Every structure is written in C-alpha cells, then in structure tokens.
Amino acid sequence: MDLDPVRLRLLQLVQEQKTDLKNLSLAIGRNAAYLHQFVFRGTPKILAEDVRQALADHLAVEEDELRHSQIPTRKPRSPNQRDDVGLALPDGFLPVSEIDVRASAGYGAVHDGLEETKATWLFPDAVVRYEFRAQPSDLRMITITGDSMEPLLSSGDRILIDTSQKVPVPPGIFVIWDGMGLVTKRIEHIPHSDPPTVVIRSINPEYQTYERTADEINIIGRVIWAAKQL
C-alpha cells in the first residue's frame, strides 16, 4: 500500500529517535507487531485516540502530527479479476497472485507487506480446490531467500501460502513476521504455555531455534506448496 503522510511521519520519527516499530509498539502497551501492521498493512486504518496520545507523549510531538484528516483508502485488489495486462482466464483455471516481497529463510528480511502483485499464476481448478483445499483469494506466491530451510527449501524457490491458515496447529512451515523480519520457518505451538508461545525452527542445523509469544509474531499463512529448480 502507498504510505500516507501520517505513516510516513511515524517512520520519520522512528528514524530520528533511533528506535524501531517493535520497541515503539511495546512502549505504548501494544503487541510487538502493532505499529508494523499499521504502517505496512493498513491495520488499523487510523490510530485510535489513546494510541495517538501515547505515541505523541513517547515521541514528544504534537498529537495532531499523527492524526489523519480523513480515513485513508486502500486500493482494491481481487485475485479473481484480470491482471494489469488484461489476462483472460482460460476455462478450468484459477488465478493466484505472486507477491513482490521475499521471505527470508535466514535471519530475517524487511516486511514490506503482502500487497503488490507482480505476476499471476494459473492453477487448475481441481488442484486449488481438492489438492490445496483452499480458496484462490487466500493464496499468495512469494520467493524464498537464504539457506536456513535447506535442504527442503532453497534460496530462489517459490512457495505458496494459504493466508487463511494462521494457527500453527498442527505444526508446519509458515511465513511469519517475527518482530525482526519476514521469515519462513517451522512453527510449533507449545501446549499449555501461558502466554501462548511458539517454537520457531529452521531445518538447517546451523541456525538456532528460538521462541516467541503469540503477541510477538504475525503469522502470514501456512506454506502448502513449493516450486524449485533442479
């Protein structure tokens, strides 16, 4: 999404005060991903009054600097429409958007939001509905970077994410924002943990396993399919 003046001003303040969106979110009593989702995913569309005041107090600025003059609009998008080059869907095929963002299979990558479509993949209707068991509007294709999921997933592989699956039960491979970046990892919920906590693992044994509470991560979706060159 295009960043409006309030979001741009917030990023400027973060840079000027040498902090980050995660620590700023925690400083105002929100979960670690709150401001990242606000800036890059448009959720919420505008800051609530108590959030604006808390941010203004913490950043030592006037509250009006973080107030929208009107509710920002988001560009509508639908994977079921024709793409920008006027692609007409052949009978029996469904479109899946490839997103212009990379998920790191390493120590993390900047999460620019799953918003910009750079290509459209066509899958047979039966594959989407009976093999993937998904709705085409819930599916996104992105590209892997890094080696932490080798040998299963390698840098340059494309993975298909079902964004309707955001709960790591049963365990599986997910794309998440872990507070530091967008990563592809194996996620497993720790039973009876309080607060709810997940274990985040790489397949490559050279990478460390770590834990995060549910509030500290944003699960984008479960990886259900991959394409790779041999």
Side-chain angles (χ1 to χ4, degrees):
M1 63 178 291
D2 295 331
L3 301 187
D4 55 62
V6 169
R7 287 173 168 83
L8 290 173
R9 177 57 176 153
L10 181 57
L11 290 177
Q12 181 184 23
L13 289 168
V14 165
Q15 184 177 16
E16 289 175 354
Q17 301 201 18
K18 295 181 172 56
T19 184
D20 55 46
L21 294 174
K22 174 186 176 181
N23 286 317
L24 188 54
S25 295
L26 296 174
I28 62 171
R30 299 286 173 153
N31 70 65
Y34 179 83
L35 288 177
H36 204 286
Q37 293 183 67
F38 165 70
V39 172
F40 294 113
R41 302 192 70 197
T43 305
K45 288 185 177 181
I46 63 173
L47 295 171
E49 183 176 355
D50 61 330
V51 175
R52 286 198 312 270
Q53 188 60 60
L55 281 172
D57 291 345
H58 188 79
L59 297 169
V61 297
E62 295 294 328
E63 182 186 348
D64 285 346
E65 293 188 41
L66 302 173
R67 185 191 303 272
H68 284 93
S69 57
Q70 60 183 10
I71 297 177
T73 58
R74 300 182 67 181
K75 182 180 179 181
R77 58 187 175 90
S78 171
N80 296 319
Q81 295 176 346
R82 294 185 174 193
D83 68 11
D84 292 338
V85 296
L87 174 67
L89 297 180
D91 290 342
F93 285 81
L94 296 172
V96 172
S97 296
E98 181 175 359
I99 306 301
D100 191 13
V101 62
R102 291 195 171 218
S104 172
Y107 285 112
V110 175
H111 174 22
D112 293 323
L114 299 181
E115 300 299 337
E116 297 299 327
T117 299
K118 69 175 183 179
T120 300
W121 289 56
L122 299 180
F123 287 92
D125 180 288
V127 170
V128 173
R129 300 195 184 280
Y130 302 116
E131 296 295 330
F132 299 157
R133 298 181 182 180
Q135 295 295 323
S137 58
D138 292 329
L139 299 177
R140 301 289 184 275
M141 185 84 72
I142 64 175
T143 302
I144 287 283
T145 61
D147 64 354
S148 74
M149 296 300 284
E150 289 187 346
L152 180 62
L153 297 172
S154 303
S155 188
D157 290 351
R158 285 180 168 87
I159 54 175
L160 190 63
I161 309 164
D162 184 347
T163 62
S164 71
Q165 297 192 47
K166 298 179 182 292
V167 178
V169 180
I173 298 175
F174 291 81
V175 173
I176 69 168
W177 190 79
D178 69 349
M180 296 296 292
L182 194 69
V183 297
T184 305
K185 301 289 182 184
R186 177 175 170 81
I187 310 297
E188 182 176 353
H189 172 249
I190 300 176
H192 313 300
S193 54
D194 185 17
T197 303
V198 296
V199 178
I200 302 175
R201 306 180 189 274
S202 300
I203 293 178
N204 187 335
E206 294 186 5
Y207 287 79
Q208 291 184 339
T209 295
Y210 57 103
E211 296 181 1
R212 291 286 187 272
T213 65
D215 285 343
E216 290 178 315
I217 66 171
N218 176 27
I219 296 180
I220 306 300
R222 184 185 291 265
V223 177
I224 61 172
W225 183 86
K228 63 166 59 213
Q229 291 186 341
L230 300 178

